[in-house]
């Protein structure tokens, strides 16, 4: 019985070994995903959100307090410069004017009385001089007459000053009475009204706002908040498209006008306000609307392009083994997709930052001391100091899939919109439109298990991989994706 049991165990072990051997020898076809080389447009954009505002708004207030007697304009009213839009109750100010007029009359009468007193004092002084010359009047009385003249003259000057003050107060009261009539300072549209008839306004501390006028709603602006990582790519004149919730199926256009230097920090996120000019001939856009903005920072029309994933693909020795293909020299040297390929697949901002480290002052990059002479040369705004964005090119390798074999093509890469990347140049005529470029290769589980033992030493690109029998990040079942 013991011998029989031992024999059964040995046979089972041998069978399991043989089965495992044949299973590992089974090489399934790897799953190769490709994309086509196409010709078309590549638009690199920066997304943002902003708020629509009128280009010019004027707050209309009042310099005097009182009760709102009449309103001649309402929301959305179109007004002309000088048009009466409101009136305050003038009763108190009219009463004040009457009081000031009485003060002026009293001051004039006082001045006349003092002038008569001065004339009388001068006559007495003249008589005193004649009598003093004849030695009929003592000197003390002569001196008293002289003092009386000077005193009367001083009182007249004081009365004249009082009269001027009274007239000034009267004029001020009349001006305040005129201020009870509120007129439009500009041609525009009423976008806000803050008072109602019968409401009391107090202008004692500051001028209260009655209306807000927009100068011209056919021209508006979007104040967009641009993240600090993208603000270096903002330039005046860049094309902008945006949408608003009120018209979800309609797109509006504009252009960047200004990038303001004052930062805004909210929860440790720094943004800069970018002003975008927006035409609004149909008056569809309203102040305060939220706009979802797309700013175009680079555009290439009709260029050769490949899927961005193809610029990041780097085949390993396992892939070549699965395809029964020798490792090309490009792959042995590192595949040509090292640091440059990573940069080609990165977002445009990352590539822009890499290029900015070696940019010359002529590119207009921020932080260059050489920009200071431009200010002395006549620049009036900071925005005018920045030139066009520099063209960024990187080098990499694309892999064509021809006759179930990988074929490398050295290329120069340009603008990327995240989905596609521009091909600026390549070796020879090996990249025709319609060619299949590899974006990823997924090895089957059995093939992966067979190669797992040698992947740590045979992969010249990826190096040792961690994870279970299919590697990390592969498809369900232990497979591996590249």
């Amino acid at each position: 019985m013991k011998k029989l049991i031992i024999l059964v165990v040995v046979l089972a072990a041998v069978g399991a070994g043989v089965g495992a051997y044949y299973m590992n020898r089974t090489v399934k076809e790897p799953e190769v995903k490709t994309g086509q080389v196409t010709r078309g447009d590549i638009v690199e954009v920066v997304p943002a959100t902003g708020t629509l505002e009128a280009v010019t708004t004027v707050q209309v207030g009042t310099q005097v307090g009182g009760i709102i007697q009449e309103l001649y304009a309402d929301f959305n009213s179109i007004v002309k410069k000088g048009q009466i839009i409101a009136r305050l109750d003038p009763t108190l100010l009219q009463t004040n004017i009457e009081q000031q007029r009485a003060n002026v009359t009293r001051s004039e009468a006082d001045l006349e009385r003092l002038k008569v007193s001065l004339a009388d004092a001068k006559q007495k002084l003249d008589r005193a001089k004649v009598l003093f010359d004849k030695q009929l009047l003592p000197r003390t009385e002569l001196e008293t007459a002289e003092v009386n003249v000077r005193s009367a003259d001083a009182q007249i000057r004081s009365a004249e000053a009082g009269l001027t003050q009274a007239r000034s107060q009267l004029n001020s009261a009349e001006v305040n009475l005129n201020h009870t009539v509120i007129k439009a300072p500009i041609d525009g549209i009423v976008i806000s009204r803050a008072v109602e008839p019968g409401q009391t306004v107090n202008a004692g501390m500051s001028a209260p706002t009655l209306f807000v006028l927009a100068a011209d709603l056919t021209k508006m602006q979007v104040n967009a908040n641009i993240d600090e990582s993208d603000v270096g790519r903002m330039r005046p004149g860049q094309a902008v498209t945006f949408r608003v919730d009120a018209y979800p199926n309609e797109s509006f256009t504009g252009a960047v006008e200004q990038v303001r230097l004052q930062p805004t920090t909210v929860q440790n996120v720094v943004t800069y306000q970018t002003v975008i000019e927006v035409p609004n001939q149909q008056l569809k856009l309203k102040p305060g609307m939220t706009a979802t903005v797309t700013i175009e920072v680079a555009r290439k029309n009709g260029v050769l392009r490949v899927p961005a994933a193809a610029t990041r693909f780097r085949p390993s020795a396992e892939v070549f083994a699965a395809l029964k293909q020798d490792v090309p020299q490009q792959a042995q040297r590192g595949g040509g997709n090292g640091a440059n390929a990573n940069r080609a697949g990165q977002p445009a901002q990352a590539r822009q930052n890499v290029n900015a480290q070696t940019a010359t002052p002529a590119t207009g990059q921020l932080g260059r001391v050489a920009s200071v002479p431009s200010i002395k040369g006549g620049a009036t705004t900071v925005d005018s100091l920045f030139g066009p964005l520099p063209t960024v090119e990187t080098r990499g390798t694309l892999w064509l899939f021809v006759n179930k074999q990988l074929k490398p093509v050295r290329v120069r890469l340009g603008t990327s919109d995240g989905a596609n990347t521009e091909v600026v140049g390549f070796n020879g005529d090996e990249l025709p439109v319609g060619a299949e470029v590899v974006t990823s290769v997924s090895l089957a589980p059995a093939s992966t298990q067979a190669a797992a033992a040698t992947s740590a030493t045979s992969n010249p690109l990826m190096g040792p991989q961690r994870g279970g029998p299919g590697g990390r990040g592969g498809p369900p079942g232990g497979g591996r994706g590249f």
Side-chain angles (χ1 to χ4, degrees):
M1 181 60 71
K2 292 183 179 180
K3 292 181 179 180
L4 181 60
I5 293 175
I6 293 173
L7 180 61
V8 172
V9 171
V10 171
L11 292 176
V14 172
V18 172
Y21 172 75
Y22 281 101
M23 287 181 62
N24 286 335
R25 286 188 58 189
T26 303
V27 179
K28 296 183 179 180
E29 289 290 336
E31 182 182 356
V32 180
K33 295 182 179 180
T34 62
Q36 285 190 342
V37 178
T38 59
R39 187 171 293 276
D41 301 340
I42 294 181
V43 181
E44 185 180 346
V45 299
V46 171
T49 58
T51 304
L52 280 158
E53 295 181 359
V55 176
T56 302
T57 58
V58 178
Q59 294 183 350
V60 182
T62 174
Q63 297 184 18
V64 297
I67 300 175
I68 301 295
Q69 189 177 60
E70 295 288 344
L71 290 178
Y72 303 103
D74 201 352
F75 288 94
N76 301 338
S77 296
I78 299 175
V79 298
K80 299 294 183 180
K81 182 178 180 180
Q83 177 181 336
I84 299 176
I85 57 178
R87 190 186 300 273
L88 300 179
D89 186 0
T91 304
L92 294 178
L93 293 176
Q94 288 174 343
T95 302
N96 188 32
I97 288 177
E98 295 298 327
Q99 293 177 349
Q100 298 303 327
R101 286 175 179 171
N103 291 336
V104 169
T105 302
R106 183 172 58 252
S107 297
E108 290 174 347
D110 291 340
L111 180 60
E112 290 296 327
R113 178 176 54 79
L114 292 174
K115 288 181 178 180
V116 172
S117 299
L118 176 61
D120 181 62
K122 287 181 177 180
Q123 289 179 356
K124 291 181 178 179
L125 177 61
D126 292 340
R127 288 196 299 268
K129 287 180 178 180
V130 172
L131 295 176
F132 178 77
D133 292 339
K134 295 180 179 180
Q135 297 183 352
L136 297 177
L137 189 70
R139 176 175 293 276
T140 55
E141 292 187 8
L142 176 62
E143 293 175 351
T144 301
E146 292 175 348
V147 169
N148 291 336
V149 171
R150 289 196 296 270
S151 177
D153 185 63
Q155 291 177 356
I156 288 177
R157 290 198 298 272
S158 176
E160 289 176 346
L163 177 60
T164 302
Q165 183 178 7
R167 288 174 176 172
S168 175
Q169 291 176 349
L170 174 60
N171 184 57
S172 177
E174 291 174 345
V175 170
N176 287 338
L177 180 62
N178 292 332
H179 286 162
T180 59
V181 179
I182 312 300
K183 298 181 180 180
I186 60 172
D187 294 345
I189 301 173
V190 178
I191 62 176
S192 175
R193 175 173 61 83
V195 293
E196 298 288 344
Q199 181 176 339
T200 301
V201 294
N202 183 12
M205 300 298 295
S206 60
T209 300
L210 307 183
F211 299 91
V212 177
L213 304 184
D216 185 5
L217 289 183
T218 61
K219 297 179 181 179
M220 300 191 69
Q221 65 184 27
V222 176
N223 292 331
N225 296 320
I226 304 299
D227 190 86
E228 60 177 328
S229 61
D230 295 321
V231 73
R233 295 187 288 164
M234 296 296 102
R235 296 291 187 273
Q238 289 174 331
V240 178
T241 58
F242 66 94
R243 294 180 180 272
V244 295
D245 292 339
Y247 307 99
N249 299 323
E250 188 170 354
S251 180
F252 301 89
T253 60
V256 174
E257 178 187 12
Q258 181 187 63
V259 180
R260 294 178 178 172
L261 301 181
Q262 183 178 7
T264 302
T265 303
V266 178
Q267 296 181 351
N268 295 328
V269 177
V270 180
T271 59
Y272 290 84
Q273 190 175 79
T274 299
V275 180
I276 301 169
E277 290 183 334
V278 177
N280 187 30
Q281 297 298 331
Q282 297 180 348
L283 300 178
K284 289 184 176 181
L285 301 175
K286 307 295 190 293
M289 284 184 171
T290 300
T292 302
V293 179
T294 301
I295 302 174
E296 182 180 305
V297 297
R299 171 181 283 274
K300 296 295 182 67
N301 296 323
V303 297
L304 197 66
R305 61 186 184 179
V306 295
T311 65
R312 298 188 294 268
F313 171 69
R314 295 178 294 174
S316 67
E318 298 176 17
V319 173
F320 291 113
L323 295 173
K324 299 179 181 180
Q325 177 183 354
D326 294 334
V327 179
Q329 294 182 355
Q330 287 89 340
Q332 293 176 357
R333 292 196 301 265
N337 277 36
N340 286 339
N342 285 337
R343 286 169 56 188
Q346 289 174 351
Q349 178 60 32
R351 295 188 282 114
Q352 176 74 18
N353 292 340
V354 172
N355 185 77
Q357 295 175 1
T358 58
T360 61
T363 61
Q365 295 295 324
L366 288 170
R368 294 294 183 183
V369 179
S371 299
V372 176
S374 298
I375 299 177
K376 298 180 181 179
T380 58
T381 64
V382 174
D383 300 282
S384 61
L385 301 180
F386 299 97
L389 291 174
T391 301
V392 180
E393 290 188 9
T394 59
R395 296 183 180 274
T397 299
L398 299 175
W399 294 87
L400 301 180
F401 193 56
V402 181
N403 298 325
K404 297 185 178 181
Q405 298 288 294
L406 297 180
K407 181 180 178 181
V409 177
R410 300 281 294 174
V411 294
R412 299 197 317 274
L413 303 172
T415 304
S416 176
D417 59 6
N420 295 290
T421 301
E422 175 193 10
V423 178
V424 179
F426 52 89
N427 293 339
D429 55 354
E430 300 174 338
L431 198 64
V433 175
E436 298 288 336
V437 290
V438 180
T439 58
S440 67
V441 175
S442 298
L443 300 182
S447 176
T448 304
Q449 292 173 2
T454 60
S455 63
T457 58
S458 63
N459 184 356
L461 302 178
M462 303 299 291
Q465 302 297 310
R466 297 182 300 172
R472 182 177 59 184
R480 185 186 213 161
F482 296 90

